[in-house]
Amino acid sequence: MLEALLLLPLIGSGLVFAFRNSNSKYLAVGIAFVQMFLTFYMLSQFNNVPTVDSQLQFEIIKPWSSYIKSTLHFGVDGMSMLLLLLTNILVPLIILSSFNENEKYNNNFYALILLMQFGLVGVFTALDGLLFYVFWEVTLIPIWFIAGLWGDEEKRIKVTTKFFVYTFVGSLFMFIGLIYVYNHSASFELTDLYNANLNEVQQVVVFWLIFLAFAVKLPIFPLHNWQPDTYTFSPTQGTMLLSGIMLKMAIYGVLRYLLPIAPTALLGTSGQVVMILSILGVVYGALIAIVHHDIKKIIAFSSLSHVGLMVAGIFASAILTAQGNFTFEGAQGALVQTFAHGINVVGLFYCADILIKQFKTRDIRQMGGYAKAAPKFATLFMILLLGSMGVPLTNGFIGEFILLKSIFDYDKVVVIFAGLTIILAAVYLLRMYGKAMFGTGDERVVSTLKDISNVEFVVLASLAVVVILLGVFPSGVLEMVNSSLKFIYSSIKG
Amino acid sequence: MSVLVVLFLTAVLALFSGVYNQGKFARYIGILGLLVALCVSFSPELAFFNQYKSMFDFNENAALFTKISLVVTLLIFFLGGFAFNNHRSHQSELYSLMLFSLIGAVILFSFTNLVTLFLGIEILSIPLYVMAGSNKTDLRSNEASIKYFLMGAFATGFLLFGIALIYGSTGSFDVHVINTFSIANPKDLMFVMGIMLMLVAMAFKVSLAPFHMWSPDVYQGAPSLITSFMASVVKIAAFFAFFKVMNLAFAGSIKEWINILGVLVIITLLLANAMGLAQTNAKRMLAYSSISHAGYLGLIFFGANSLSVYNLAFYLFAYSLSTVGVFMTLIWVEKLKRETSFEAFKGLAKSEPLLAVVTAVSLLSMAGIPLTAGFVAKFNIFAQAMNGAAFLVLIAVIGSALSIAYYLKLIISMFFHTETSFKSSEKVSITYNITAVFIIVAILTIGIYPDLFKILFGL
């Protein structure tokens, strides 16, 4: 089952690459949809209430190398399942979203997206440190080519180089962090890494080495420098992949690798430093988003702000647990929010893309009055916007609520700043929506505006459906990640 | 040992084939001879023919490194047809000089005596001085030859003086006797002085900073095919000899030299990668990259264990494969554009996708991106060195972080620019394509399944 999920995108990528034809996009989207249905099938087979000690399902264990103590070990638990769902729902929609641009993308583009999907599935199911690192880096190459080859004509080279160097350097530190743990454990096997006998100082060193990679990818406040530019100047599909899925690799990595390997570091100042940095990111991202006029930059900074909140929630619970008050609801909120944010941010970037195409500018001051011309679009855009603001009955609400609750438990002052995210998000998102949809634009431009095409409608409507569904029934996701998080957080305690 | 005989016969035959024609046969003779040598080195009965055990010991390690350098030389010979096709005369000499140099390498893999070490180094180097200057009309090539020769002569001086001091203190050239002495008297002053001098000489040969100054100029000035030979086969030979002599003969005095070597490695990693960033010429960039790889390889001395030789072989093979992979494209671009700046590579992906892909894969492998052989190689060495010198690994990581920027430059030129086009009249030959496909497949399969390396070389 998991074999199919891993191999299909890889083989599909090869097929699409060999299929030098303008119809390659249909093949690509077909493969992505098959992958999506496979994931749904897997979900139906997935046993959500596992027996106490075996929460892993669909396991694959195969020998890899005789000299390196690392095995091809894959498996799925609740947390992996959630992220697999996110990946495999979003990828077909992302491919579909490119259909309106007939000439721009060729078979290489779709092959790269599928290759990226292969890497992502690997990251979310690998249960071996080295394997995780390998897939982590595998995702970098296709997205770099996507951003570099199809990005903004003038800035793409500068921006993609910055992106690549930033992430590669971050990953290298994780690499030596993992090797360091490996030298103290029996193998790269996840449980062996958890049980490596590291003393307090060693744990702090390992914590920062590994965290650096995640901090770059998220990004956490002072390392965010690559993010707005890359999000702005990549092709829309690249931005969707980056913000919707790739960033979640780091959230997943923090939970799966960082916290259980170096739990003692949380007791010292390291955990608090991360808390402060992520809250700074929350406020900083939101404030910058308020003053920007570039629609893609606004969404990029809003993403920075939202991600900060997720990290803060994870660490709030983790620090509390390490101090002896067992709780994992912050992480639960973060995972729900991870799923919700993936859907919302992909939707928002797509809306931004549509607006940019219509008005031929990224500046929201030069947009206006699109609501009249495009009622369908206005409705769907609004739903995604509400989700992103965290209005009740949308997917953003429950996650944000739990996150703030867990930060409240951690510290009553910090939560004031964290809570700003909701207010500020409403400010910049509504300002953006108001300007673009109801403002008074140039008469000549407004008269040329058209409503969205069928493809665009299908993509946005599917995302909107997920927004509402998850908002009304969040319990499914909460239950799905319950037992994995219980396991991870109890290993922090011990 | 029989490998030496086969190579020697091949080299002489190749040399004489030049008497009768312009030297195309030399290449075919060379390829045939190398294939025979490869077969011989795989056969235990023929290969492990140890008649002169006090001078040579052709053991498993020597066989492994011989196989690797034979494979790499074969790849370079495959490229020769295109690289030298308008080199009007002296083709056969160049091929046979390469083979003679390879003989020096094989001697270096199997020495057990400081005299044979010295002989091996000289047999390896002297043909190189000539080959570096083989573009007689090119000033840079002449400069390269002279510079290489002078620096090589200095290194020889250091080496000989070091050997003399060691002989003076131990009374023997045999590495095992020296090792016994080293364990008994690790701090003997004359002995340690000898080790230091030899360390300097070997650092010259593998171009560890600050003894690297010759290599960018020599790499740039020499004809590109020769440069690829220097960057791969010569590096394999020199590094293994370095590793072997330090560990086989001077292991007892390790405390006396390991810290000095550590300093050299740190300087190399930082300096070479920083200088690499500043380059605008692909060939010079590759020279600095080659110096920086000497730095990564230097980590092999730290935390050495029973797997070290395997790690070294793996790294050298992975590195040589990618070196040949990049150089084959460089040779092609240099032929068409008569220069090797990053500008010259622009738009290569459009006109020659296979060459662009082989270069990209090779560069990613050099940078150590997963799923390439270079990643596994770096992992092996880092994991080993982490035991003894975590600080050095950190420096190596900073070096890698710097290096990625200049490797990207070349990939960006090839893939992300479309301005300049290449002449379409010149078609890439079949041997070229075969070599490219071989390198891509080898780098990726070894990267995905590292045990393949073991299987391939019969470990």
Side-chain angles (χ1 to χ4, degrees):
Chain A
M1 188 66 220
L2 188 54
E3 283 94 336
L5 219 54
L6 270 165
L7 288 177
L8 183 66
L10 184 64
I11 296 167
S13 168
L15 279 178
V16 173
F17 182 71
F19 196 68
R20 300 188 169 281
N21 189 308
S22 57
N23 290 329
S24 55
K25 58 183 177 184
Y26 298 111
L27 182 63
V29 85
I31 291 164
F33 270 112
V34 172
Q35 175 87 350
M36 182 168 101
F37 289 123
L38 271 178
T39 317
F40 286 143
Y41 178 70
M42 193 176 196
L43 180 66
S44 70
Q45 302 289 307
F46 185 73
N47 179 9
N48 213 352
V49 197
T51 49
V52 184
D53 51 345
S54 74
Q55 41 166 339
L56 293 167
Q57 293 166 50
F58 312 104
E59 264 188 287
I60 305 171
I61 304 180
K62 289 212 165 65
W64 183 11
S65 164
S66 51
Y67 283 143
I68 308 166
K69 280 173 236 121
S70 171
T71 39
L72 293 176
H73 188 181
F74 299 94
V76 178
D77 67 351
M79 192 160 73
S80 301
M81 192 69 229
L82 182 73
L83 286 153
L84 281 181
L85 272 175
L86 179 72
T87 308
N88 293 338
I89 289 175
L90 283 180
V91 169
L93 293 179
I94 288 170
I95 295 180
L96 204 60
S97 75
S98 72
F99 271 29
N100 273 5
E101 283 151 78
N102 286 324
E103 297 304 313
K104 201 170 161 197
Y105 303 122
N106 57 19
N107 62 326
N108 296 346
F109 180 78
Y110 298 107
L112 286 170
I113 290 186
L114 289 175
L115 191 62
M116 174 101 187
Q117 190 179 18
F118 163 68
L120 290 165
V121 172
V123 165
F124 293 138
T125 54
L127 296 170
D128 179 284
L130 193 65
L131 207 57
F132 173 76
Y133 177 75
V134 166
F135 278 105
W136 174 273
E137 291 288 62
V138 164
T139 55
L140 182 59
I141 304 292
I143 192 70
W144 179 58
F145 272 105
I146 289 173
L149 285 172
W150 286 276
D152 178 88
E153 200 44 54
E154 282 164 31
K155 296 231 177 158
R156 62 196 170 118
I157 288 169
K158 216 178 136 200
V159 166
T160 48
T161 309
K162 188 158 84 173
F163 161 64
F164 195 99
V165 171
Y166 251 96
T167 30
F168 183 71
V169 172
S171 312
L172 271 180
F173 284 101
M174 169 163 83
F175 181 45
I176 62 166
L178 286 174
I179 293 180
Y180 191 82
V181 184
Y182 166 69
N183 274 357
H184 290 85
S185 69
S187 74
F188 269 116
E189 189 65 35
L190 204 57
T191 44
D192 287 334
L193 291 181
Y194 287 1
N195 297 329
N197 281 320
L198 299 175
N199 64 32
E200 224 164 290
V201 181
Q202 288 170 329
Q203 289 209 8
V204 172
V205 172
V206 167
F207 178 89
W208 283 105
L209 284 174
I210 298 182
F211 183 68
L212 214 56
F214 299 145
V216 168
K217 207 137 229 163
L218 279 166
I220 290 289
F221 168 60
L223 300 171
H224 66 282
N225 183 295
W226 61 271
Q227 187 240 33
D229 283 348
T230 311
Y231 281 17
T232 310
F233 298 112
S234 299
T236 308
Q237 284 71 29
T239 313
M240 291 171 168
L241 285 170
L242 271 168
S243 60
I245 319 176
M246 218 177 153
L247 172 174
K248 274 60 183 191
M249 285 167 29
I251 301 264
Y252 174 84
V254 167
L255 286 169
R256 179 77 83 206
Y257 290 89
L258 184 64
L259 297 180
I261 288 177
T264 332
L266 293 168
L267 286 172
T269 44
S270 304
Q272 283 161 10
V273 172
V274 174
M275 276 303 283
I276 291 167
L277 289 179
S278 44
I279 296 293
L280 270 178
V282 169
V283 181
Y284 170 85
L287 288 177
I288 301 283
I290 287 178
V291 296
H292 254 292
H293 298 296
D294 184 323
I295 189 165
K296 276 187 147 181
K297 283 236 162 88
I298 295 177
I299 304 173
F301 278 106
S302 97
S303 169
L304 181 65
S305 165
H306 279 110
V307 168
L309 192 66
M310 295 179 215
V311 178
I314 292 173
F315 275 87
S317 288
I319 292 171
L320 283 178
T321 307
Q323 285 164 350
N325 312 311
F326 182 77
T327 167
F328 58 89
E329 60 178 358
Q332 214 173 13
L335 279 177
V336 179
Q337 186 68 348
T338 292
F339 194 82
H341 177 258
I343 302 287
N344 293 335
V345 83
V346 164
L348 286 183
F349 270 118
Y350 195 40
C351 291
D353 185 51
I354 293 168
L355 284 169
I356 292 164
K357 291 248 167 55
Q358 293 286 346
F359 291 98
K360 297 186 180 56
T361 171
R362 288 201 305 266
D363 192 334
I364 55 169
R365 285 170 301 184
Q366 290 168 28
M367 298 179 179
Y370 191 39
K372 218 174 276 171
K376 278 192 283 184
F377 176 70
T379 320
L380 295 173
F381 189 12
M382 194 67 210
I383 294 173
L384 290 165
L385 204 71
L386 293 175
S388 199
M389 286 192 294
V391 172
L393 290 188
T394 62
N395 59 356
F397 172 71
I398 187 76
E400 231 156 54
F401 176 78
I402 303 175
L403 282 172
L404 289 175
K405 160 88 170 48
S406 67
I407 298 172
F408 180 83
D409 290 341
Y410 168 73
D411 193 310
K412 313 274 182 297
V413 183
V414 172
V415 79
I416 298 174
F417 292 100
L420 280 176
T421 174
I422 296 181
I423 304 161
L424 295 178
V427 175
Y428 58 75
L429 288 173
L430 288 177
R431 185 182 68 117
M432 179 176 88
Y433 190 84
K435 281 256 166 80
M437 306 305 289
F438 301 123
T440 47
D442 190 340
E443 277 302 321
R444 275 165 301 165
V445 180
V446 173
S447 62
T448 64
L449 298 176
K450 295 191 297 282
D451 205 347
I452 48 178
S453 68
N454 288 338
V455 174
E456 287 163 336
F457 180 77
V458 168
V459 174
L460 284 177
S462 337
L463 291 171
V465 167
V466 181
V467 169
I468 304 278
L469 267 182
L470 202 66
V472 182
F473 308 107
S475 57
V477 172
L478 289 172
E479 274 163 27
M480 194 190 289
V481 297
N482 223 341
S483 61
S484 344
L485 287 178
K486 203 177 279 174
F487 174 73
I488 287 168
Y489 274 72
S490 56
S491 71
I492 293 177
K493 202 171 84 185
Chain B
M1 282 308 286
S2 334
V3 179
L4 276 181
V5 178
V6 173
L7 283 178
F8 179 73
L9 287 177
T10 315
V12 172
L13 263 178
L15 189 61
F16 279 103
S17 75
V19 175
Y20 298 105
N21 60 32
Q22 288 300 318
K24 272 184 191 153
F25 274 129
R27 179 163 154 258
Y28 300 125
I29 293 172
I31 289 175
L32 201 68
L34 286 168
L35 283 174
V36 173
L38 197 61
C39 295
V40 170
S41 66
F42 268 97
S43 139
E45 299 86 44
L46 290 172
F48 300 101
F49 174 70
N50 287 316
Q51 185 87 42
Y52 309 98
K53 203 140 189 192
S54 65
M55 301 296 260
F56 299 101
D57 182 12
F58 200 84
N59 56 14
E60 282 95 348
N61 290 342
L64 170 63
F65 281 85
T66 305
K67 285 169 201 164
I68 291 173
S69 47
L70 284 173
V71 170
V72 176
T73 316
L74 258 178
L75 289 177
I76 292 171
F77 267 64
F78 269 120
L79 304 183
F82 176 76
F84 285 156
N85 66 357
N86 49 13
H87 220 262
R88 269 183 219 94
S89 54
H90 306 303
Q91 274 195 51
S92 54
E93 285 87 335
L94 281 174
Y95 289 120
S96 82
L97 280 174
M98 255 192 261
L99 290 169
F100 278 124
S101 189
L102 185 62
I103 291 173
V106 175
I107 293 176
L108 279 180
F109 298 143
S110 49
F111 78 91
T112 55
N113 191 303
L114 293 189
V115 175
T116 17
L117 168 74
F118 178 71
L119 269 180
I121 284 187
E122 290 307 297
I123 296 175
L124 178 80
S125 307
I126 291 169
L128 285 173
Y129 306 147
V130 181
M131 285 192 278
S134 62
N135 264 354
K136 280 183 292 185
T137 51
D138 183 3
L139 267 181
R140 280 183 180 282
S141 181
N142 288 320
E143 185 201 335
S145 180
I146 291 177
K147 211 168 215 169
Y148 200 9
F149 176 65
L150 285 179
M151 287 298 179
F154 270 115
T156 305
F158 278 110
L159 186 66
L160 271 182
F161 197 21
I163 292 177
L165 287 179
I166 287 165
Y167 183 73
S169 49
T170 62
S172 169
F173 288 124
D174 192 299
V175 285
H176 304 293
V177 178
I178 294 170
N179 193 34
T180 324
F181 179 86
S182 154
I183 291 163
N185 314 298
K187 286 184 194 284
D188 184 278
L189 187 62
M190 204 197 323
F191 184 67
V192 174
M193 285 293 288
I195 295 178
M196 291 308 155
L197 288 170
M198 283 191 70
L199 186 70
V200 169
M202 295 312 285
F204 261 115
K205 285 292 164 198
V206 299
S207 64
L208 273 176
F211 309 108
H212 68 287
M213 288 87 78
W214 57 273
S215 68
D217 293 333
V218 173
Y219 275 42
Q220 195 187 7
S224 295
L225 191 76
I226 305 300
T227 311
S228 70
F229 184 77
M230 291 198 286
S232 54
V233 177
V234 175
K235 199 133 221 161
I236 296 174
F239 219 100
F240 181 59
F242 188 18
F243 182 74
K244 197 170 161 184
V245 74
M246 295 319 261
N247 275 304
L248 213 58
F250 308 139
S253 318
I254 187 162
K255 280 193 193 123
E256 318 305 316
W257 53 264
I258 193 95
N259 288 332
I260 294 174
L261 188 65
V263 173
L264 296 189
V265 167
I266 292 175
I267 300 174
T268 307
L269 286 169
L270 295 178
L271 193 74
N273 284 315
M275 293 294 286
L277 275 178
Q279 303 308 316
T280 52
N281 184 307
K283 212 168 162 187
R284 272 189 97 77
M285 178 274 274
L286 285 169
Y288 280 106
S289 138
S290 150
I291 301 172
S292 78
H293 279 281
Y296 301 123
L297 281 163
L299 294 177
I300 200 84
F301 291 96
F302 298 87
N305 55 31
S306 56
L307 281 180
S308 291
V309 173
Y310 167 80
N311 291 345
L312 186 65
F314 198 109
Y315 196 105
L316 283 168
F317 184 59
Y319 166 70
S320 300
L321 272 182
S322 34
T323 301
V324 178
V326 182
F327 267 98
M328 64 183 292
T329 311
L330 192 119
I331 290 167
W332 165 265
V333 170
E334 195 178 29
K335 257 290 171 50
L336 297 191
K337 298 261 175 109
R338 312 219 162 276
E339 55 143 350
T340 54
S341 65
F342 289 120
E343 294 280 314
F345 283 80
K346 281 187 176 172
L348 187 73
K350 268 267 154 57
S351 48
E352 289 300 338
L354 187 63
L355 284 185
V357 169
V358 74
T359 317
V361 170
S362 303
L363 288 170
L364 292 175
S365 173
M366 282 189 188
I369 301 272
L371 297 194
T372 61
F375 165 71
V376 184
K378 270 214 173 98
F379 169 80
N380 286 340
I381 286 200
F382 284 5
Q384 179 210 312
M386 190 70 96
N387 272 329
F391 177 67
L392 275 184
V393 179
L394 200 66
I395 300 278
V397 163
I398 292 170
S400 298
L402 291 171
S403 75
I404 188 70
Y406 56 78
Y407 291 134
L408 286 191
K409 261 194 214 166
L410 195 54
I411 302 184
I412 287 170
S413 286
M414 292 186 302
F415 283 91
F416 294 3
H417 289 281
T418 45
E419 290 101 79
T420 47
S421 62
F422 285 76
K423 273 186 290 179
S424 56
S425 57
E426 189 104 35
K427 276 267 166 281
V428 179
S429 64
I430 296 172
T431 45
Y432 233 66
N433 282 333
I434 292 173
T435 316
V437 170
F438 175 82
I439 289 174
I440 295 171
V441 170
I443 288 179
L444 291 180
T445 46
I446 293 180
I448 292 165
Y449 183 58
D451 284 8
L452 189 69
F453 176 77
K454 250 171 51 173
I455 299 165
L456 278 181
F457 289 105
L459 284 177

